[in-house]
Amino acid sequence: DGGITQSPKYLFRKEGQNVTLSCEQNLNHDAMYWYRQDPGQGLRLIYYSQIVNDFQKGDIAEGYSVSREKKESFPLTVTSAQKNPTAFYLCASSMGSSEAYGYTFGSGTRLTVV
Amino acid sequence: AQSVTQLDSHVSVSEGTPVLLRCNYSSSYSPSLFWYVQHPNKGLQLLLKYTSAATLVKGINGFEAEFKKSETSFHLTKPSAHMSDAAEYFCVVSSYSTLTFGKGTMLLVSP
């Protein structure tokens, strides 16, 4: 079955460490997105990519980095510069223009700083 | 610029009674509108979408929503709540390939 796979489901990070969250899709979607979800704040866009080897900052990109070397993969690195990284991270993809198709979401990664 | 306001952070209903989750939006462009549902520690699942066709949109699990341009609203309804409907619901507006999410409404269903 086609879908989006995020791993790991739970991730713990020590202060000052970088961590990378994986997102893989087999839907042949061109566009991929990373969102951060905090209680009571809805979803906020971190980065998005509409084509391989190209990506743009979203609303809260500071302290994060991404790459898009393959169409299927869009990993997110949470760097030590991100001061409050504890959150639920959701990856999504869309076939093209989101107006027409909406998004398909992964099941999320919960990151906790210890 | 676009924005979404979900008017209730929590809605409580009894099983078998109607559900109404309210959403107002603003957009300088003809938007597309979506409702997503999220169960605990899960991703978001698309319930329904409006993309400038019929103003009354039917979705999965018996949900529907009506696009009212004059009121800039896109409220989600269901005639009879089921225990499995308990989840968080997000109203989303899309234009220029950018999605803006509301802050969510938690639906609580009691027996």
Side-chain angles (χ1 to χ4, degrees):
Chain A
D1 287 337
I4 297 181
T5 301
Q6 289 188 243
S7 60
K9 189 173 179 66
Y10 298 95
L11 185 59
F12 296 89
R13 191 195 91 171
K14 293 183 178 180
E15 296 270 1
Q17 279 184 338
N18 293 355
V19 290
T20 297
L21 283 60
S22 171
C23 178
E24 303 278 333
Q25 54 101 356
N26 61 3
L27 299 165
N28 200 33
H29 285 175
D30 289 315
M32 297 186 74
Y33 310 81
W34 274 105
Y35 285 88
R36 171 180 171 139
Q37 185 177 22
D38 296 282
Q41 295 197 43
L43 275 68
R44 293 180 290 168
L45 182 63
I46 304 173
Y47 269 98
Y48 64 102
S49 167
Q50 295 185 318
I51 195 168
V52 174
N53 292 323
D54 187 49
F55 47 83
Q56 281 77 43
K57 293 181 179 180
D59 301 320
I60 56 165
E62 185 175 352
Y64 299 97
S65 65
V66 294
S67 63
R68 186 85 186 278
E69 297 177 1
K70 299 186 298 181
K71 188 175 185 178
E72 303 80 25
S73 178
F74 191 41
L76 173 74
T77 296
V78 184
T79 75
S80 57
Q82 170 49 238
K83 297 305 179 188
N84 185 23
T86 294
F88 191 53
Y89 291 87
L90 285 161
C91 179
S93 69
S94 64
M95 190 181 305
S97 165
S98 60
E99 286 101 64
Y101 298 107
Y103 286 4
T104 300
F105 282 86
S107 57
T109 292
R110 185 165 296 281
L111 173 63
T112 303
V113 173
V114 297
Chain B
Q2 60 189 24
S3 66
V4 179
T5 302
Q6 291 184 241
L7 298 166
D8 307 291
S9 60
H10 293 80
V11 170
S12 295
V13 300
S14 298
E15 192 174 21
T17 65
V19 175
L20 170 64
L21 306 182
R22 298 182 294 165
C23 172
N24 287 103
Y25 71 93
S26 68
S27 176
S28 55
Y29 180 72
S30 296
S32 294
L33 294 156
F34 306 84
W35 275 99
Y36 284 86
V37 60
Q38 184 181 33
H39 289 89
N41 291 311
K42 301 290 187 184
L44 276 68
Q45 179 185 17
L46 180 65
L47 276 178
L48 49 81
K49 62 182 178 183
Y50 166 78
T51 55
S52 74
T55 57
L56 181 62
V57 182
K58 294 188 184 298
I60 62 172
N61 300 335
F63 285 95
E64 62 181 38
E66 186 172 8
F67 174 71
K68 292 187 176 180
K69 186 175 182 179
S70 61
E71 299 176 9
T72 61
S73 70
F74 190 56
H75 301 335
L76 181 70
T77 60
K78 183 174 181 177
S80 176
H82 191 273
M83 294 296 290
S84 61
D85 295 327
E88 190 162 22
Y89 292 78
F90 292 93
C91 181
V92 182
V93 62
S94 172
S95 62
Y96 297 110
S97 298
T98 299
L99 294 191
T100 300
F101 286 77
K103 294 189 176 182
T105 298
M106 187 68 71
L107 176 64
L108 307 171
V109 182
S110 57

